[in-house]
Amino acid sequence: MTTPSVSERLQSPKHPDTLPQGQANPFTTECMDISFDWLCPLGMVVQGSKFWDDFYVNFGDGKVQYPGYDTGSTVALGLDNTTGSGFQSKYPYLFGSLSMQLKLVGGNSAGTVTSYYMASDRTQYPKWCELDFEFLGNTSGEPYILQTNVFSEGVGNREQRIYLWFDPIADYHEYGILWNQDLILFVVDSRVIRVFYNAAYLGIPYLSYQPMFIYSSIWNGESWATCGGGVKTDWSLQPFLASYTNFNVWNASEMREYTVSSSHACFEKLYSSSYGQAPNLALTQSQIDDLRWIRYNYVIYDYCTDLKRFNWIAPPECALNWP
């Protein structure tokens, strides 16, 4: 099984209404430290910023809603048979602990794809980096599938798919990424579901120098998303809505210009910030237990075990990334 990245699919001719990767506000200053001197773990209740503080709608503006009394604290992205919608961060980030809460499309969501991902600007980095959360819709009563992927210098093919251990349409749940010099953690409700270690010593490029924007979107993936495209979207149910809230980027560093000095500033802040220090440089025993629990109970596809794709030899990072 090989799937293109979210950014590739959203930039395809099938999505003419999307903006180019990295089209954000002009860069004006260097890497900004917006972290605290202590770590708020993913899952701790922290008041997220308003949507407009750090993000803007980058396609499908007419399909976006701002529900609730506290306008801007929650954003609902819509999809119909004309277009989806999405947003991105104003600036990219180079390392940090970032998260947001999502409530997925309810009912029959077959053919829909809701995404939350980070990606570098492909106009700056043709061999881009990307970290994906993709939620693949399904028919009523069937579970969502969460697909994660890692692209390093343009190379992906690292898909993992799991079922979730809760109902993602009943309430908001937190999805986040912790990214530092040694590892990347994919986290759901404070539980680590995936780790990607820095294995540069094995010849595997690490995501260590390309700042990445945050993106979220909902779009039509009926050609592949549900049962390999065998189940299509029921457009009589449109619009399909996915909601986002608690946009937490405070424990990360914005990079507002592509200069060596800006990059160095982000590394300096990395080494002085909580996300770049122990205990966040290796898995804790609790996180190891989380990963083993996920692997034995919820994994439905793992590229590491799909040996036919790789001439019957597992990619070298696989031995590192499953404890």
Side-chain angles (χ1 to χ4, degrees):
M1 181 186 74
T2 301
T3 59
S5 71
V6 184
S7 59
E8 286 177 304
R9 288 193 289 262
L10 290 180
Q11 285 188 324
S12 73
K14 295 181 181 179
H15 286 271
D17 51 352
T18 60
L19 296 183
Q21 284 277 359
Q23 182 171 321
N25 291 0
F27 295 110
T28 56
T29 60
E30 293 191 352
C31 182
M32 296 181 62
D33 182 14
I34 54 175
S35 66
F36 287 46
D37 59 1
W38 54 279
L39 174 63
C40 175
L42 291 171
M44 179 178 287
V45 177
V46 174
Q47 181 60 47
S49 61
K50 291 294 184 68
F51 172 78
W52 297 287
D53 293 342
D54 302 295
F55 299 91
Y56 69 95
V57 174
N58 64 348
F59 78 99
D61 183 69
K63 309 302 178 184
V64 180
Q65 302 176 17
Y66 305 94
Y69 295 105
D70 188 13
T71 304
S73 64
T74 300
V75 174
L77 297 182
L79 165 71
D80 63 19
N81 59 357
T82 64
T83 185
S85 55
F87 62 83
Q88 73 171 77
S89 59
K90 294 178 180 178
Y91 301 103
Y93 297 85
L94 187 59
F95 304 113
S97 180
L98 312 102
S99 67
M100 63 179 66
Q101 295 185 345
L102 282 72
K103 183 163 65 173
L104 301 180
V105 176
N108 183 352
S109 58
T112 69
V113 180
T114 304
S115 64
Y116 163 45
Y117 66 105
M118 299 184 70
S120 54
D121 182 350
R122 293 175 68 177
T123 64
Q124 294 285 335
Y125 303 102
K127 293 184 178 180
W128 79 104
C129 292
E130 183 168 331
L131 303 170
D132 295 341
F133 284 96
E134 291 183 279
F135 303 89
L136 312 183
N138 217 326
T139 54
S140 298
E142 296 297 322
Y144 262 89
I145 292 172
L146 169 56
Q147 175 171 287
T148 59
N149 206 348
V150 176
F151 285 74
S152 178
E153 295 191 355
V155 178
N157 297 330
R158 299 184 177 101
E159 303 91 345
Q160 289 179 2
R161 290 184 172 188
I162 67 171
Y163 288 133
L164 296 167
W165 55 95
F166 52 82
D167 183 354
I169 70 176
D171 203 352
Y172 288 94
H173 292 269
E174 185 179 52
Y175 305 88
I177 290 169
L178 187 145
W179 170 31
N180 63 34
Q181 67 272 33
D182 286 350
L183 55 73
I184 296 164
L185 300 181
F186 290 76
V187 183
V188 178
D189 284 348
S190 301
R191 191 185 294 273
V192 175
I193 65 163
R194 182 172 186 173
V195 61
F196 185 79
Y197 274 107
N198 184 343
Y201 66 93
L202 295 176
I204 302 166
Y206 187 64
L207 292 74
S208 59
Y209 67 94
Q210 297 184 21
M212 295 191 289
F213 290 89
I214 301 168
Y215 295 88
S216 289
S217 60
I218 183 171
W219 49 282
N220 176 13
E222 67 175 357
S223 65
W224 68 277
T226 305
C227 299
V231 180
K232 303 299 183 182
T233 305
D234 182 354
W235 294 109
S236 70
L237 302 174
Q238 64 182 321
F240 300 94
L241 296 174
S243 297
Y244 298 74
T245 192
N246 280 339
F247 311 97
N248 287 319
V249 296
W250 54 267
N251 201 26
S253 290
E254 292 179 349
M255 186 168 167
R256 295 197 175 191
E257 59 181 19
Y258 293 110
T259 64
V260 173
S261 62
S262 294
S263 180
H264 285 175
C266 285
F267 273 93
E268 289 175 1
K269 292 177 176 65
L270 165 70
Y271 293 122
S272 64
S273 297
S274 53
Y275 55 81
Q277 300 182 42
N280 294 311
L281 302 180
L283 292 172
T284 65
Q285 185 58 53
S286 176
Q287 291 169 338
I288 291 172
D289 292 343
D290 284 345
L291 281 170
R292 289 173 176 168
W293 181 73
I294 292 292
R295 184 177 190 179
Y296 296 132
N297 294 286
Y298 296 99
V299 170
I300 57 175
Y301 177 83
D302 179 11
Y303 78 105
C304 287
T305 61
D306 191 358
L307 299 183
K308 187 176 180 180
R309 291 178 63 184
F310 306 104
N311 294 320
W312 305 105
I313 299 174
E317 73 270 17
C318 291
L320 295 175
N321 294 333
W322 279 116

